Amino acid sequence: MRHVIALDVGGTGMKAALVGAGGELLHQARRATGRDRGPDAVVDGILDFAAELRAYGIEHLGAPALAAGVAVPGIVDEERGIAAYSANLGWRDLPLRGLLTERLGGVPVALGHDVRTGGLAEGRIGAGKGADRFLFVPLGTGIAGAIGIAGRVESGAHGFAGEIGHIVVRPGGTPCPCGQRGCLERYASAAAVSEAWASVTGNPDADAADCAKAVDGGDPKAREVWQHAVDALADGLVTALTLLDPRTLIIGGGLAEAGDTLFTPLREAVRQRVTFQKLPTIVPAALGDTAGCLGAGLLAWDLLDTTNSSEATR
């Protein structure tokens, strides 16, 4: 059966799949990155995992994978296949595409940024399916974004497109590790809400999910913390939609798991802020933690389509 290898490498774990031509998941597996053993061990783990997936495909699907796609965090040079930098995984200027191609017997390999890869899946086969323009914004430890245009995700001239979390929404506000003050992710990420709620309650273990539950329970302090985050998020999103004019705005990540507790006030806050802009459809992400793997599979199939098209025109 025709298939590709898809790998989604996170800070603590790796998700992998063998993906069929129709996007079906033919086999799934997970393992730890082993980052506690250093960056070299992480790379070895990725290569070993990919080789095991290739062997599984040969044994159980009757053929080796035709290509591979891998999504990684940090700064990614997708065109050159270089994982340029990852603070979490400890690597710098890693030629990951070349290493994987060699380990997998010479098959083509696509390398992508984790958020943009997840956004590709959400936009093409998930919550944004059918939308010609979308913006995918996961609200997790930080806030990132993926700009979808006609079935692909824009990476920008230098690989930094979509970094909505570093739009300044509160000038002169809370310092951000990026060097600015008042960045969106310092107010509206799951980590920011967790920090604010822990401070209000005096409980260092309190998190954003606890805050959402307290909001649902009518706690006025929780509602204040939550609305503070929603207002900041709406300010950032309106800046983004003013620039990008997306048809669909897809919100994912841990904070989106609050469901209507987030989406009802957020839709209203965005609606109140738009003037001449067209209001996009604001929807929750649909693919959960499979988005990165599915997106990596799409990258691999796209790579094959591009290669085949190039060969056909020679």
Side-chain angles (χ1 to χ4, degrees):
M1 181 179 293
R2 299 174 74 244
H3 65 277
V4 297
I5 293 169
L7 272 167
D8 179 18
V9 181
T12 58
M14 295 185 285
K15 295 182 285 290
L18 298 180
V19 183
E24 62 275 20
L25 296 173
L26 305 173
H27 170 67
Q28 296 183 72
R30 295 177 184 245
R31 69 165 50 172
T33 58
R35 67 174 178 171
D36 54 316
R37 294 182 283 117
D40 289 343
V42 173
V43 176
D44 288 342
I46 293 170
L47 298 178
D48 289 346
F49 201 12
E52 288 175 18
L53 289 161
R54 182 177 187 273
Y56 184 96
I58 292 171
E59 181 179 353
H60 296 276
L61 301 177
L66 298 171
V70 57
V72 297
I75 300 171
V76 182
D77 184 336
E78 296 168 355
E79 186 173 337
R80 294 170 57 223
I82 304 292
Y85 176 71
S86 172
N88 285 338
L89 298 176
W91 59 44
R92 186 182 294 272
D93 295 326
L94 176 70
L96 188 55
R97 183 173 67 196
L99 293 171
L100 276 166
T101 296
E102 182 179 356
R103 188 62 177 272
L104 294 173
V107 301
V109 175
L111 182 67
H113 180 271
D114 57 354
V115 172
R116 288 195 291 269
T117 301
L120 176 66
E122 282 289 354
R124 196 181 294 180
I125 61 176
K129 185 176 181 180
D132 55 344
R133 300 287 190 279
F134 69 87
L135 177 62
F136 170 58
V137 181
L139 310 173
T141 303
I143 298 178
I147 302 165
I149 303 171
R152 64 179 183 85
V153 172
E154 174 60 44
S155 59
H158 307 97
F160 295 115
E163 290 292 346
I164 184 177
H166 297 290
I167 289 176
V168 174
V169 294
R170 300 292 180 264
T174 303
C176 180
C178 80
Q180 300 184 117
R181 300 180 71 93
C183 287
L184 175 61
E185 70 175 40
R186 300 302 299 144
Y187 298 90
S189 63
V193 174
S194 294
E195 184 179 336
W197 185 233
S199 177
V200 167
T201 61
N203 176 8
D205 296 325
D207 61 14
D210 297 325
C211 185
K213 290 176 185 175
V215 170
D216 291 339
D219 186 313
K221 291 183 178 179
R223 287 182 173 177
E224 184 178 350
V225 168
W226 197 256
Q227 192 61 48
H228 183 66
V230 167
D231 287 341
L233 180 56
D235 288 340
L237 291 176
V238 169
T239 297
L241 67 89
T242 301
L243 291 170
L244 302 172
D245 188 27
R247 196 173 307 278
T248 303
L249 183 54
I250 306 166
I251 308 296
L255 214 58
E257 293 175 6
D260 288 344
T261 302
L262 174 67
F263 284 93
T264 298
L266 179 61
R267 290 182 179 116
E268 177 61 19
V270 171
R271 188 193 65 77
Q272 289 177 356
R273 284 163 172 75
V274 297
T275 53
F276 67 90
Q277 305 94 334
K278 291 294 185 181
L279 193 65
T281 302
I282 302 175
V283 297
L287 302 176
D289 70 354
T290 66
C293 243
L294 289 167
L298 291 172
L299 287 179
W301 283 113
D302 285 354
L303 188 60
L304 285 171
D305 289 343
T306 302
T307 301
N308 293 336
S309 296
S310 297
E311 290 177 350
T313 57
R314 285 177 186 170

